[in-house]
Amino acid sequence: MEEHTGPPEVPVLKKNGFSLRDQTFTTSSGHRRVEGSHLSELFFPERLRLKWQQKSAEEEAKRLFRKDFGAQLRWYGISFKSNASSGELASMLRSAVVDGKACTIAATLNCKDVPESVLAIERRMRADAAYVEKLRVWRAERDEWGAAKKRKEDEKWAACSTPGEQASMNLDKFIALYFLDSQGKPDRTKTSEPMALHGFDDRAELHERAKRVPGLETCSGGEYSARAICIGWDRGAVWALARRLDEESRLEEAQEKSDMWDRAMEQHRGLAEAARENGPEVTPNSMQPRQLQLCRGAYIIKCDAAEAEWPAQPFFTLSVTNCSEPFRTGPFITMGWLELSHFEGTMLLGRDQERLDSYVQNSSDAEEEEDDDDDDDEMGEEQEEAVSTSTQGTKRKQAPGGAKRGRPPKKARKDQVPARRIYLRLRGREATTGMVLPGPRSGYIEFTDDSFTHFKGVVDLPYLKPGVTFEGFKMSHTAKKRPPLWEDFSNDAYERANTARWR
């Protein structure tokens, strides 16, 4: 027999506007006969007593009569022209339903019975010798196809090596095999200990199916790709197994993170050794300080405080590159892009804190002036005078995120700055929601040797205590990402993002 992807198609016999598909007799368009009493309800739904019955009849009439009024006329032996319009066909069928006059040809009353002429067509079609032979061949092929399908399913089932694979292949068969007797009743003696179904993804379906078996308990355990559903009769044992999976997946995740760190650190040590042997890569005549040139590159970041709160990410990243707009920042400030699990942001880096704070303050003043200009456009002269009077002597407003505006405090003298220390200012957004956090945050990084491939630092981070320590290991002398502009995380950007979020 020719192999089929599905069961063989049943042969269809069509004659005189009717169709026979195995034992199913319909019109050629596939419509079954509708009883005359129900046709009356479909044509006159307002005669029904209840509103929901009327609405249901109206919807059914739309579906039934959408394409073929002629199907029911054909069922009741009422002749009609092949080119008759849908309205004419509807009128003929309605008349037959109302008074039976159109049904006299079919010897019916109000379309209550199938006429003999239609019954005779059905008898002749069922007795058609050629069609009967086609049905015989088709049934033999169908049975053979079903047997072959069952053999393949049995072979696949036998090849399953775990309960999870069995459940994935045939959930009903899995439940019957482990938890039901030959009569389909719960059998606690078949599987006394709980089992974990690894590799089975449709956990919600199994939770639901288990509810139909009295006494059967389920609970999911494990993390991420190692998550699995546990099933058994003893609720306490099932939940204990799920907790054990949680612990095993945490240990496995910790080992995987440790392996990733080992591989990353091996790459870092190779880069650091080459940097020490080959010397620093700097441009001697550049106006940019030597330390800023050396700190450029891609780093992996280890931050215990962030990792404790968001343990899913094995390590974090920092890319340090030249400023996107050097004419605005000058050669004494460079930029970085920091990515943590919960936060990502643009970092200003420089040797001089006063320069950093001056840039931050000037940026804030420019943002305020732009906001004031926008407000002034909407104010009248009296409002402007009132605002001018009321704001005299008041303090600057506090920026979202907790950072205070105003003249920055005086910093340490330049000659007191450690040789490998670089100060930073940071602001950005929540990594998951995109909510802008415009309040500038301070910190510094300090490289451990003249190769500038490893640093330790301190920084204030959102949602963590002040002065978080972190550590960076250079993986490449080239930055992987270019940071957005500092101004992209302004108060105005915060307002726009917040408005769009709640709109």
Side-chain angles (χ1 to χ4, degrees):
M1 183 190 72
E2 183 181 353
E3 185 177 353
H4 291 275
T5 56
E9 288 287 336
V10 59
V12 179
L13 178 63
K14 292 186 177 182
K15 285 185 178 181
N16 302 110
F18 288 92
S19 175
L20 182 62
R21 183 185 297 267
D22 191 13
Q23 299 300 315
T24 304
F25 185 69
T26 65
T27 63
S28 296
S29 56
H31 288 79
R32 297 176 181 270
R33 183 174 70 93
V34 179
E35 291 290 341
S37 59
H38 191 48
L39 283 173
S40 178
E41 293 174 349
L42 299 183
F43 274 115
F44 307 103
E46 67 277 3
R47 296 179 182 177
L48 294 170
R49 187 170 60 88
L50 300 177
K51 288 290 185 183
W52 69 266
Q53 293 175 326
Q54 296 175 8
K55 185 175 181 180
S56 177
E58 290 173 355
E59 293 176 352
E60 184 180 352
K62 290 179 181 178
R63 292 193 301 270
L64 183 65
F65 299 145
R66 183 177 297 151
K67 294 182 179 179
D68 197 356
F69 287 100
Q72 298 306 315
L73 292 173
R74 198 179 302 279
W75 263 113
Y76 290 105
I78 302 174
S79 299
F80 57 89
K81 296 180 180 179
S82 60
N83 60 353
S85 67
S86 177
E88 291 172 336
L89 296 177
S91 178
M92 291 178 65
L93 185 58
R94 186 183 295 107
S95 297
V97 169
V98 171
D99 53 30
K101 290 181 180 179
C103 295
T104 55
I105 300 176
T108 64
L109 181 61
N110 294 333
C111 295
K112 290 174 64 178
D113 303 310
V114 179
E116 176 59 30
S117 59
V118 175
L119 295 177
I121 292 173
E122 182 178 359
R123 286 195 298 268
R124 289 194 299 271
M125 292 175 70
R126 291 188 183 279
D128 187 288
Y131 184 68
V132 170
E133 176 59 19
K134 288 181 180 180
L135 281 180
R136 185 193 67 77
V137 173
W138 168 75
R139 286 168 181 153
E141 291 178 348
R142 179 196 60 187
D143 294 344
E144 186 178 349
W145 176 86
K149 180 183 178 184
K150 186 177 184 306
R151 284 195 301 271
K152 289 181 179 180
E153 289 177 348
D154 290 343
E155 291 172 359
K156 289 182 179 180
W157 180 267
C160 292
S161 58
T162 66
E165 291 179 0
Q166 291 173 327
S168 297
M169 180 180 172
N170 191 321
L171 190 53
D172 289 327
K173 193 172 182 178
F174 162 79
I175 293 176
L177 176 64
Y178 290 99
F179 304 106
L180 305 179
D181 61 17
S182 59
Q183 305 299 317
K185 303 296 183 182
D187 186 352
R188 292 174 175 265
T189 65
K190 295 183 72 172
T191 307
S192 57
E193 296 296 325
M195 63 174 66
L197 304 184
H198 296 283
F200 177 72
D201 296 328
D202 199 356
R203 294 187 295 272
E205 179 63 19
L206 183 52
H207 281 303
E208 186 63 30
R209 300 287 279 278
K211 293 178 183 178
R212 305 174 193 173
V213 182
L216 197 57
E217 299 285 344
T218 57
C219 182
S220 293
E223 299 290 338
Y224 307 109
S225 61
R227 193 157 182 80
I229 187 170
C230 303
I231 184 170
W233 296 108
D234 187 321
R235 181 182 180 87
V238 170
W239 283 51
L241 178 57
R243 288 193 295 272
R244 187 158 69 248
L245 292 181
D246 289 340
E247 181 62 26
E248 289 175 356
S249 81
R250 281 193 289 268
L251 292 174
E252 183 178 343
E253 180 186 353
Q255 183 60 50
E256 183 178 351
K257 290 170 67 172
S258 176
D259 293 342
M260 293 179 67
W261 262 106
D262 290 343
R263 292 192 294 269
M265 291 308 297
E266 184 177 354
Q267 179 181 342
H268 162 73
R269 284 191 290 269
L271 181 141
E273 183 177 352
R276 285 191 292 269
E277 290 179 357
N278 299 330
E281 296 181 4
V282 296
T283 303
N285 298 325
S286 173
M287 293 183 62
Q288 189 175 51
R290 175 177 179 275
Q291 294 93 330
L292 295 188
Q293 295 184 55
L294 289 174
C295 78
R296 293 198 297 262
Y299 299 79
I300 57 172
I301 302 297
K302 185 168 181 60
C303 179
D304 292 337
E307 186 176 345
E309 292 293 330
W310 297 275
Q313 195 168 338
F315 45 74
F316 314 118
T317 62
L318 170 66
S319 287
V320 179
T321 184
N322 286 329
C323 278
S324 300
E325 296 187 355
F327 294 105
R328 297 182 63 180
T329 58
F332 302 102
I333 297 177
T334 193
M335 295 176 70
W337 176 246
L338 178 67
E339 288 188 352
L340 304 176
S341 287
H342 69 297
F343 174 80
E344 56 190 17
T346 291
M347 185 182 289
L348 301 177
L349 298 158
R351 290 277 294 160
D352 186 342
Q353 291 203 78
E354 290 187 357
R355 288 182 187 273
L356 288 174
D357 289 328
S358 177
Y359 181 86
V360 170
Q361 184 61 51
N362 291 337
S363 176
S364 298
D365 289 343
E367 293 165 13
E368 281 190 348
E369 289 176 5
E370 184 176 347
D371 290 342
D372 291 343
D373 289 342
D374 292 341
D375 294 340
D376 290 345
D377 290 341
E378 299 177 2
M379 286 185 179
E381 293 183 1
E382 295 181 0
Q383 289 177 302
E384 290 180 358
E385 183 178 354
V387 170
S388 175
T389 303
S390 63
T391 55
Q392 291 179 1
T394 60
K395 297 181 180 179
R396 292 179 180 267
K397 64 180 180 180
Q398 184 170 330
K404 296 181 178 180
R405 294 181 178 179
R407 184 176 298 278
K410 291 185 178 180
K411 306 299 178 184
R413 292 173 56 87
K414 296 179 184 179
D415 56 3
Q416 296 175 334
V417 178
R420 302 191 196 101
R421 177 171 294 188
I422 297 176
Y423 293 101
L424 65 88
R425 300 296 181 263
L426 173 69
R427 70 180 183 182
R429 62 189 172 219
E430 288 184 354
T432 53
T433 65
M435 187 178 75
V436 174
L437 304 174
R441 300 170 188 276
S442 302
Y444 67 85
I445 61 177
E446 190 158 348
F447 287 88
T448 57
D449 60 36
D450 290 335
S451 68
F452 274 63
T453 57
H454 171 232
F455 68 76
K456 295 183 179 181
V458 177
V459 65
D460 293 335
L461 291 173
Y463 313 118
L464 296 174
K465 64 180 181 181
V468 170
T469 59
F470 68 118
E471 195 170 1
F473 304 87
K474 185 174 285 189
M475 306 299 291
S476 169
H477 293 296
T478 304
K480 299 299 183 183
K481 293 185 179 181
R482 177 169 291 277
L485 296 176
W486 176 262
E487 288 75 15
D488 289 349
F489 305 109
S490 64
N491 285 279
D492 188 48
Y494 165 81
E495 295 292 344
R496 289 196 304 270
N498 196 48
T499 301
R501 185 182 179 194
W502 297 109
R503 181 170 294 169

